[in-house]
Amino acid sequence: MTGKRFRDPKVIHFLPNGQFYFERGIVAFREEKMTEAIGYLERARELEPFEPVIICQLAICYTEIGQFHKSNQLLRYILEKLDANMHYCYYFIANNFAYLKDFKRALQYAKRYVAEDPKGEYVEEANDLMDVLLEESPIGQSLENKFIKVEQEFYEYKKEINRYLAEEDSVSACRVLERVIDEKPNFWPAYNQLAALYFEQLREEEGLRVLYDLLERSSGNLLGRIDLFMYHYFKANEEEAKALYSELSKIVPILTHHRERLGYVHAMMGAYKTADDFLGDIVDLEVTERPKFYYYRAKTAYYLGNIEFANEMWEQFLNCDVYEKEDFPFTDKADDFVAYVPNVLRFLASKEPALHYLGVYALSISPSRAEMVLFHPLFEMTNWTYEEHLVFTQFVFLADGIPEQNSRYMVELFSELAQIGLPLSEENLAFYVQVVRTIWQITEKQVSLVDYEKESVISSFVARFGSKSQIKKANLDKKIQDIDLFD
């Protein structure tokens, strides 16, 4: 018997990848073994966490076993984080909402899918779903009349408007909206957008006329009342804003867009718990004004004590690229007076030069600065003085002239006054006005303050213009240096 030479057996290590588990998940899905399919697909997702097709199939499996919320979480994750062009995820989300009997959102997402991908693979199914919902749901006909139909009409002309806006031709966009209103005087969304464009062009009277025309024709128009509230709020018309808020605060909206807009109103008025209730159940894909949404969620969360979430929302706000990068503005060290938006707006609306100057200063240091700069429908700086522009930009570009140097010196004085217990406030307002006017008078005499010690200057101002309580609070040296500022 001849001997045989045996080799050691070769061990082949098999390391399956995500595709391996995905394919087995598909086989299990087709065989209707959902638990097994989910197990395979979850493992595939672990190995390839950024592959949207795997996650989408996993979401479909969760739908099959009735975990509709879990499925929607995965589908939204795909659209928000991985691939915004997988439009058919909207259709799957619509299906899940239909199963959950949330017919309003089911209609919204089905319509969104058809609008985003009119030749998509599931368009026929999406249209069938909308037909069924409108026929069988008790609110179907109402939604069709009050929401879906309006949205369909809006979509037709907003393409033309968006083209003009992309070309920065807002005048032509206004003409389109004016034509729409002439042809369809009961088409309310056109009024809202036309008023917003007028305000953007600083055509204040025309914007107001459109809003009042809207409310005369449709007295209960919610968005019209919200837009009018926004106008009065940012114009520092506090009585009018409070009267409108009194009406708006009684409304519990159904439509998501209405909840979003009312959430902003409540946050602006300091009703943070109500704002959080309204904004908290709006998912990312349903947001229409992202910078506002993330800003007011950050502000609301902070004042409700949820600091970690507030910081997360602030980062999302910065990611919208509409505001310069800066640290989280809301802190316990923030001055409550300048943090309260109506205070700053009141100063900015003043025609008294010293008060307006103080308004610009308050805006520059306010933790609510972004709110006033970005969301004020009529915010503009064309009538500001050169020195006010320097204050607003915190003297990034500073010339060597006496007016510029004295203006920076004055702002530095304001900072030191706050540190010794005399911040800008209602109580200290008259004192601050005197400081501004006096430094302007000194500047007119071409006297530079740079060579004067700030402590001595502050002592002089407090002694001359301060009340007894302010002098006591400042706790300054009784011996005041004679610096000849008031000669």
Side-chain angles (χ1 to χ4, degrees):
M1 182 176 179
T2 58
K4 293 184 179 180
R5 181 176 297 176
F6 293 98
R7 295 180 180 178
D8 293 334
K10 185 175 182 180
V11 178
I12 300 175
H13 295 281
F14 173 59
L15 297 175
N17 56 18
Q19 182 67 23
F20 171 82
Y21 287 108
F22 175 72
E23 290 174 358
R24 273 152 181 74
I26 293 296
V27 171
F29 174 78
R30 289 171 179 166
E31 293 176 353
E32 299 185 3
K33 299 175 181 177
M34 291 304 150
T35 303
E36 186 177 328
I38 288 172
Y40 282 128
L41 291 169
E42 287 283 13
R43 180 57 179 151
R45 183 190 180 193
E46 289 176 9
L47 294 170
E48 297 188 40
F50 304 112
E51 176 49 63
V53 175
I54 292 174
I55 298 174
C56 186
Q57 186 60 49
L58 180 59
I60 293 171
C61 288
Y62 278 118
T63 294
E64 290 295 320
I65 64 171
Q67 292 194 27
F68 306 116
H69 290 297
K70 176 70 172 177
S71 176
N72 275 352
Q73 287 176 354
L74 294 171
L75 293 166
R76 287 175 182 137
Y77 176 76
I78 293 170
L79 291 165
E80 293 169 17
K81 304 292 185 183
L82 300 180
D83 189 351
N85 294 318
M86 285 182 62
H87 299 128
Y88 51 79
C89 288
Y90 292 118
Y91 169 66
F92 296 146
I93 293 172
N95 260 319
N96 286 332
F97 277 127
Y99 282 121
L100 290 165
K101 300 190 184 301
D102 189 341
F103 302 124
K104 174 177 68 70
R105 288 186 175 179
L107 285 164
Q108 286 177 321
Y109 277 98
K111 182 67 176 71
R112 177 80 177 267
Y113 169 61
V114 174
E116 294 284 353
D117 194 4
K119 296 183 180 180
E121 182 180 356
Y122 299 98
V123 166
E124 185 176 349
E125 289 89 341
N127 285 323
D128 289 343
L129 174 63
M130 286 190 284
D131 289 340
V132 170
L133 289 168
L134 292 169
E135 288 174 6
E136 296 186 1
S137 69
I139 61 170
Q141 192 62 41
S142 173
L143 284 171
E144 180 181 35
N145 292 337
K146 296 182 180 179
F147 181 73
I148 297 298
K149 188 176 180 181
V150 169
E151 189 181 35
Q152 288 172 341
E153 292 178 352
F154 179 79
Y155 186 74
E156 292 301 318
Y157 77 80
K158 80 174 182 179
K159 289 186 290 185
E160 185 178 5
I161 293 170
N162 288 341
R163 177 168 59 83
Y164 286 124
L165 294 179
E167 297 169 356
E168 297 186 356
D169 185 2
S170 60
V171 174
S172 295
C174 284
R175 291 198 190 103
V176 174
L177 290 163
E178 289 162 355
R179 186 189 74 228
V180 170
I181 289 174
D182 285 339
E183 295 173 355
K184 299 179 180 180
N186 293 335
F187 188 52
W188 313 130
Y191 291 81
N192 298 105
Q193 188 163 11
L194 180 59
L197 285 176
Y198 279 152
F199 287 143
E200 189 177 294
Q201 297 169 25
L202 303 180
R203 296 160 67 179
E204 185 174 345
E205 291 185 5
E206 291 170 273
L208 266 181
R209 175 181 53 76
V210 171
L211 285 183
Y212 282 123
D213 187 23
L214 167 61
L215 292 173
E216 184 178 342
R217 294 168 182 265
S218 175
S219 59
N221 190 282
L222 179 58
L223 294 182
R225 290 189 174 279
I226 291 174
D227 287 343
L228 191 60
F229 164 84
M230 296 281 185
Y231 169 82
H232 285 300
Y233 177 87
F234 283 109
K235 286 290 289 185
N237 301 329
E238 293 189 62
E239 289 187 12
E240 292 88 341
K242 286 179 180 177
L244 284 163
Y245 180 67
S246 179
E247 298 175 9
L248 293 171
S249 63
K250 300 172 186 175
I251 296 172
V252 180
I254 297 174
L255 297 180
T256 302
H257 179 50
H258 291 172
R259 291 181 67 82
E260 180 183 344
R261 294 292 305 282
L262 268 178
Y264 302 151
V265 170
H266 287 297
M268 291 162 70
M269 294 299 288
Y272 299 118
K273 180 63 174 68
T274 306
D276 187 62
D277 290 341
F278 278 24
L279 299 176
D281 65 351
I282 298 174
V283 299
D284 192 74
L285 290 171
E286 296 172 325
V287 174
T288 60
E289 300 177 276
R290 290 185 181 277
K292 276 188 181 180
F293 180 79
Y294 292 126
Y295 174 84
Y296 283 116
R297 290 232 69 191
K299 185 173 184 178
T300 294
Y302 173 77
Y303 285 109
L304 290 176
N306 192 348
I307 309 303
E308 183 177 351
F309 183 70
N311 276 281
E312 290 177 13
M313 289 296 98
W314 182 254
E315 287 301 317
Q316 293 277 34
F317 166 69
L318 292 179
N319 289 338
C320 292
D321 291 327
V322 295
Y323 194 62
E324 68 269 24
K325 303 290 183 184
E326 68 170 36
D327 294 335
F328 183 73
F330 306 106
T331 69
D332 56 3
K333 296 180 181 178
D335 189 326
D336 290 339
F337 184 81
V338 298
Y340 184 55
V341 173
N343 288 337
V344 182
L345 294 173
R346 178 161 46 90
F347 290 173
L348 286 172
S350 176
K351 294 182 180 180
E352 205 286 314
L355 279 177
H356 190 273
Y357 183 93
L358 288 170
V360 174
Y361 166 69
L363 176 64
S364 72
I365 64 171
S366 174
S368 302
R369 177 175 177 267
E371 182 174 346
M372 291 175 274
V373 172
L374 294 178
F375 309 143
H376 191 322
L378 289 158
F379 183 79
E380 55 100 15
M381 303 161 60
T382 55
N383 295 325
W384 289 12
T385 66
Y386 174 55
E387 284 77 16
E388 286 174 336
H389 280 280
L390 290 177
V391 171
F392 179 72
T393 58
Q394 298 180 331
F395 301 93
V396 174
F397 305 103
L398 180 62
D400 295 329
I402 289 176
E404 296 89 347
Q405 296 291 344
N406 282 359
S407 193
R408 182 169 68 175
Y409 188 94
M410 177 158 47
V411 168
E412 291 171 353
L413 284 185
F414 293 161
S415 178
E416 296 204 11
L417 283 167
Q419 291 176 22
I420 64 172
L422 295 177
L424 178 61
S425 65
E426 205 68 55
E427 178 186 359
N428 299 326
L429 181 57
F431 171 72
Y432 269 75
V433 169
Q434 286 288 358
V435 171
V436 173
R437 290 173 178 168
T438 302
I439 290 182
W440 283 350
Q441 292 168 3
I442 292 169
T443 303
E444 286 177 1
K445 297 176 182 178
Q446 292 296 302
V447 175
S448 175
L449 291 171
V450 175
D451 296 329
Y452 291 94
E453 291 185 0
K454 292 187 180 67
E455 184 178 354
S456 297
V457 174
I458 288 173
S459 297
S460 299
F461 279 129
V462 173
R464 180 171 287 258
F465 302 122
S467 64
K468 290 182 180 179
S469 63
Q470 289 168 334
I471 293 173
K472 183 178 180 180
K473 187 178 291 185
N475 194 28
L476 295 169
D477 192 338
K478 300 291 184 183
K479 293 179 65 177
I480 297 172
Q481 201 173 349
D482 183 10
I483 53 176
D484 301 325
L485 283 175
F486 307 107
D487 293 341

